[in-house]
Amino acid sequence: MKKSILILNGPNLNLLGTRQPEVYGTTTLQDIEAACAAKAEALGISVSFAQSNHEGALIDALHAAKGTHDGVILNAGAYTHTSIAIRDAISATMLPVIELHLSNIHAREKFRHHSHIAAVVVGQICGFGAHGYPLAMDALMAHLGEDK
Ligand code: CA2
């Protein structure tokens, strides 16, 4: 059975490529999704994409992923540093989740160093810009035992 993954992006990531290119690069979210769709085809898996600026919508998407997808790549944006509710939703799904950040959150302001979700995810990929998404796909497939 073909594996299926969800790539879920949080607040403000819809603005990628339009502002703060010195921090987040010039690649748009649409570019990232196109690259991930091509990568999914090469891996022989299905991929779905979702983005929301709302905490509750991200939680709903995590709940809905259970039974629909085999794993999730999550860039929770600033909610990473604030949201115990998203952490609880990750725990509740019992799905493998990879935490993804474009920037190296550990090299930035102190308030970005702590992730509320780090303890309940498989692992964290950060600092590789848009390349982090296909890296996370490889990591998730390896975790699912489907590495090539
Ligand atoms: O590095 C990441 O991927 C972050 O998750 C991005 C979040 C930030 O709050 C996290 O600390 C690290 C912010 C996303 C904002 O994205 C923008 C993109 C273009 C213009 C403005 C914001």
Side-chain angles (χ1 to χ4, degrees):
M1 178 81 177
K2 216 176 184 185
K3 296 283 185 205
S4 172
I5 68 168
L6 172 66
I7 298 183
L8 181 58
N9 283 292
N12 297 308
L13 289 158
N14 54 311
L15 300 178
L16 276 181
T18 65
R19 285 168 229 167
Q20 288 185 256
E22 68 287 358
V23 184
Y24 298 115
T26 53
T27 309
T28 66
L29 189 57
Q30 288 69 29
D31 293 335
I32 289 172
E33 291 182 353
C36 291
K39 172 88 181 172
E41 190 144 347
L43 289 170
I45 63 169
S46 301
V47 63
S48 301
F49 303 99
Q51 187 275 331
S52 178
N53 295 319
H54 304 278
E55 188 175 17
L58 294 168
I59 292 166
D60 288 343
L62 286 165
H63 292 177
K66 179 85 187 155
T68 311
H69 299 290
D70 298 294
V72 179
I73 294 167
L74 172 64
N75 186 344
Y79 286 138
T80 304
H81 319 297
T82 63
S83 180
I84 294 167
I86 289 179
R87 175 196 170 115
D88 287 347
I90 293 169
S91 297
T93 65
M94 294 190 303
L95 284 172
V97 175
I98 308 267
E99 176 180 351
L100 186 284
H101 301 285
L102 295 148
S103 61
N104 179 355
I105 56 173
H106 305 289
R108 299 185 63 194
E109 304 96 321
K110 200 151 194 274
F111 65 84
R112 295 187 205 274
H113 296 183
H114 180 71
S115 164
H116 278 299
I117 68 174
V120 294
V121 297
V122 176
Q124 198 182 54
I125 294 176
C126 72
F128 296 100
H131 299 299
Y133 286 85
L135 286 175
M137 291 173 77
D138 280 333
L140 184 53
M141 294 322 290
H143 179 80
L144 292 170
E146 301 268 328
D147 50 324
K148 293 188 177 170

